[in-house]
Amino acid sequence: MSIYIFNQDIGCKTGSINYMWIYKEQFLDEASDSIRYISMEIPEQKEINKYARIGIDAEQLVNVYQSYTDKRKLELSIKTEDKLEELKGILHYTGEIYHESEIRLIKDGYVIATIFLDKRDEDYFWGICYFSYTKLLRTEIYTDGITYTNFYITAKSEGRLYAKLVRRSFYNYDGSVAFDQLLEEGKEKFLFPDGRCYNKQEFIDEFIKRLNFSKRDIIFLDYSIPNEFLQAIFKFGKAARIVTLAPAKYDSLNNENLYYFWFPYSEAIDALIVSTEDQKKILIKELKKYHCSIPDIWVIPIEGEFIDTVLKESYDGSLTVSWNFNGKPDGFLIFDEFGTQIYETRNIYKNYALIKGYEKENGFILRAFADTEKGRVTTAETKQIYFSAES
């Protein structure tokens, strides 16, 4: 059995709660090795580092673009010093500047190339931008060798010039082009060396077919995934069990679009996950009202969310993080930006903590947790918290 989780931003905490990950924490731990996280884009190294901090290995990440190449690894493999020497032999540069996690090559006062280093290990790099004077020409993205290149032209919008992405080339291990993605006025085409040409829907359809779902597999979907994925999954993924998510945040039905999102697909859905018994009752009532099929409805509770957080400087030069939380946790945890736990409390009324040994530039993540039969599970998480100059 394999579990496939489709989500627009898995591991990227763009909101106060990453529901997909929390459901995984509460429901899927027993089968965590068999979970595959499906996304459209190839994650950059900084995103892979985020996934690692929440316990998702790079091997579990599956993306559509890379599936059409013979490359599978996402770890960085090329040394910074090797690439720098190569560029110095190719580019006619006159100087170099080291700035934080960047190396900039200069010619006649202009940056002609910028190498972006991995913040966790600057012996390796993840990308290079090339410029002609102030114009961005292309960006190379690296994992285990060069993975893809973005090509730009200078365009004008509202009287301003900008770098417009017009083509991306994806590569095999030997450096040959696996396929090109052409972007023209909101449309995408995918061209292959053997002459095949797909539009975006056909491109995703073929990817879903290649996953070759069986009746023992489970597909988890949330409302954030693009419509092209939904069409392909409900057409070519019917062999698997399809489970969809209804976030706890919307159990009052105030946001109808998010709640009714799954109604047209109700006949093909095997189970729908909700967060409260009240939400389950309301959902069944609404499904009957619109004469929709009623799938199994599982209740997996999620309680609470962080309302606001702030990181300030304390009187002695250390840092203080404070927060407001709406819910009923059993305690709070604080992690640094590298995933190291630095604080724990079960005093749910003490919503502040002193942090020592860190600089203002560091980021932190807060998690609320609950004690369950499965052990401690995360019930809410913040996005990365950074220093506020407010005194």
Side-chain angles (χ1 to χ4, degrees):
M1 179 186 75
S2 294
I3 298 171
Y4 299 87
I5 297 181
F6 288 78
N7 181 267
Q8 183 78 349
D9 294 301
I10 296 171
C12 306
K13 305 305 185 295
T14 55
S16 61
I17 297 179
N18 184 319
Y19 288 100
M20 184 72 80
W21 177 53
I22 293 170
Y23 281 122
K24 177 260 182 186
E25 283 275 297
Q26 297 187 19
F27 181 66
L28 299 175
D29 272 354
E30 297 89 348
S32 59
D33 291 341
S34 65
I35 299 175
R36 297 294 177 265
Y37 298 84
I38 313 297
S39 62
M40 186 70 185
E41 295 286 340
I42 298 175
E44 296 180 6
Q45 191 62 37
K46 57 185 177 181
E47 301 302 332
I48 296 172
N49 293 341
K50 290 181 183 179
Y51 303 151
R53 288 200 298 268
I54 61 173
I56 298 175
D57 295 330
E59 291 77 12
Q60 295 179 269
L61 305 176
V62 179
N63 62 83
V64 179
Y65 293 130
Q66 197 171 26
S67 72
Y68 283 91
T69 74
D70 62 6
K71 302 183 68 162
R72 292 295 178 268
K73 294 182 179 179
L74 292 172
E75 295 83 1
L76 299 177
S77 65
I78 301 180
K79 290 288 190 74
T80 301
E81 60 179 356
D82 294 338
K83 193 63 181 181
L84 185 57
E85 288 302 313
E86 178 186 331
L87 292 178
K88 288 180 177 179
I90 298 173
L91 302 175
H92 300 289
Y93 78 103
T94 56
E96 59 187 83
I97 298 174
Y98 288 77
H99 178 72
E100 296 181 350
S101 295
E102 299 178 4
I103 302 176
R104 301 172 183 175
L105 299 183
I106 310 297
K107 179 181 179 182
D108 300 329
Y110 291 94
V111 176
I112 58 173
T114 299
I115 305 174
F116 299 98
L117 310 181
D118 179 18
K119 290 185 177 181
R120 301 186 69 176
D121 185 356
E122 294 191 353
D123 286 342
Y124 296 90
F125 71 100
W126 60 265
I128 307 174
C129 284
Y130 296 90
F131 302 89
S132 175
Y133 295 100
T134 59
K135 296 179 180 178
L136 177 62
L137 300 179
R138 72 181 189 275
T139 300
E140 296 174 348
I141 303 299
Y142 289 76
T143 52
D144 188 15
I146 185 169
T147 301
Y148 65 91
T149 300
N150 292 336
F151 296 92
Y152 303 88
I153 63 171
T154 300
K156 181 180 286 188
S157 176
E158 298 180 355
R160 296 185 177 183
L161 298 178
Y162 72 100
K164 180 180 180 181
L165 177 63
V166 293
R167 177 166 64 91
R168 298 205 290 178
S169 294
F170 295 82
Y171 303 100
N172 293 312
Y173 265 120
D174 62 4
S176 63
V177 174
F179 66 92
D180 288 314
Q181 178 188 17
L182 305 182
L183 300 100
E184 302 173 350
E185 303 302 327
K187 297 181 179 180
E188 299 178 40
K189 291 182 180 179
F190 299 86
L191 304 180
F192 292 82
D194 60 7
R196 286 176 297 156
C197 179
Y198 294 151
N199 61 31
K200 187 173 182 179
Q201 185 64 66
E202 293 168 338
F203 189 74
I204 294 176
D205 286 351
E206 183 62 27
F207 167 76
I208 297 298
K209 291 178 186 177
R210 291 182 180 195
L211 293 178
N212 194 26
F213 296 116
S214 74
K215 62 182 180 180
R216 298 182 66 250
D217 297 330
I218 302 176
I219 299 173
F220 277 77
L221 304 173
D222 86 342
Y223 58 85
S224 73
I225 67 171
N227 190 55
E228 292 91 348
F229 271 108
L230 289 181
Q231 292 186 42
I233 289 168
F234 284 110
K235 185 175 182 180
F236 302 109
K238 292 180 180 179
R241 296 185 66 193
I242 298 178
V243 179
T244 60
L245 305 176
K249 209 171 186 178
Y250 306 106
D251 59 6
S252 64
L253 301 184
N254 289 332
N255 192 325
E256 294 184 358
N257 289 333
L258 293 177
Y259 203 86
Y260 297 134
F261 185 82
W262 300 117
F263 283 20
Y265 309 101
S266 60
E267 289 188 8
I269 293 174
D270 293 277
L272 197 151
I273 292 179
V274 297
S275 300
T276 67
E277 288 292 341
D278 287 341
Q279 188 185 10
K280 178 178 178 179
K281 293 176 183 177
I282 294 172
L283 179 56
I284 292 174
K285 179 180 178 181
E286 294 298 308
L287 286 166
K288 288 180 178 179
K289 176 181 176 181
Y290 291 96
H291 306 288
C292 298
S293 297
I294 300 177
D296 289 339
I297 300 178
W298 305 339
V299 178
I300 300 179
I302 295 178
E303 292 190 13
E305 64 177 321
F306 288 93
I307 305 302
D308 58 68
T309 58
V310 65
L311 181 65
K312 301 178 184 179
E313 186 175 11
S314 181
Y315 68 91
D316 62 352
S318 55
L319 299 172
T320 300
V321 62
S322 58
W323 61 91
N324 286 321
F325 188 81
N326 181 19
K328 300 176 181 179
D330 288 313
F332 297 102
L333 304 170
I334 299 178
F335 295 79
D336 66 17
E337 58 190 333
F338 301 110
T340 302
Q341 182 181 320
I342 59 175
Y343 179 81
E344 175 181 343
T345 180
R346 287 184 173 272
N347 182 353
I348 63 173
Y349 302 105
K350 180 185 175 183
N351 291 351
Y352 65 91
L354 192 65
I355 299 176
K356 295 184 177 183
Y358 287 86
E359 303 295 331
K360 294 179 182 179
E361 294 76 17
N362 293 120
F364 303 92
I365 291 174
L366 271 67
R367 292 178 185 169
F369 67 85
D371 297 318
T372 71
E373 292 181 357
K374 288 183 58 179
R376 177 186 292 179
V377 298
T378 299
T379 59
E381 176 172 307
T382 67
K383 58 185 178 181
Q384 200 87 237
I385 304 167
Y386 290 102
F387 177 75
S388 169
E390 180 183 353
S391 62

